[in-house]
């Protein structure tokens, strides 16, 4: 099993969709559950989940050295949901 940092690095170096998909698979339940709890709406949770992973794709280069991707995803999701 690759670490989060290895997957982000693979995504950045070769635009590996497999690496990014593995990150999504690993964290989609966390992200969706966080969004759902904050918004009390599964429809909004779906949208926020998509927004969160779009931000991950855009900011992946800033997260290569991040030791806690789950924390970053949770906080980002929470903030997006609050702004919904």
């Amino acid at each position: 099993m690759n670490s989060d940092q290895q997957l982000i690095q693979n995504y950045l170096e070769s635009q590996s969709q497999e690496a990014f998909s593995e990150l999504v698979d690993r964290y989609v339940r966390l992200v969706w559950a966080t969004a759902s709890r904050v918004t009390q709406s599964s429809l909004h949770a779906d949208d926020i989940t998509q927004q969160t992973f779009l931000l991950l794709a855009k900011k992946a280069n800033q997260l290569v050295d991040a030791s806690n991707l789950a924390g970053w995803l949770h906080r980002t999701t929470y903030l997006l949901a609050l702004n919904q």
Side-chain angles (χ1 to χ4, degrees):
M1 175 184 269
N2 291 320
S3 71
D4 294 342
Q5 288 75 25
Q6 289 170 322
L7 292 170
I8 290 171
Q9 193 66 42
N10 290 345
Y11 170 69
L12 290 171
E13 289 175 357
S14 61
Q15 296 298 306
S16 171
Q17 293 304 310
E18 289 176 17
F20 194 81
S21 291
E22 190 171 335
L23 286 170
V24 171
D25 291 344
R26 194 174 285 182
Y27 291 108
V28 70
R29 288 179 292 285
L30 168 77
V31 170
W32 190 90
T34 301
S36 178
R37 274 193 307 273
V38 174
T39 64
Q40 298 293 304
S41 165
S42 61
L43 181 61
H44 288 177
D46 291 343
D47 291 340
I48 291 165
T49 298
Q50 185 175 25
Q51 290 173 29
T52 300
F53 285 110
L54 285 172
L55 276 175
L56 175 60
K58 289 179 183 178
K59 295 187 176 202
N61 61 333
Q62 298 172 17
L63 299 169
V64 173
D65 295 326
S67 61
N68 189 0
L69 181 60
W72 183 90
L73 288 167
H74 182 269
R75 180 172 169 76
T76 300
T77 304
Y78 181 78
L79 293 173
L80 287 170
L82 283 179
N83 289 326
Q84 181 67 29

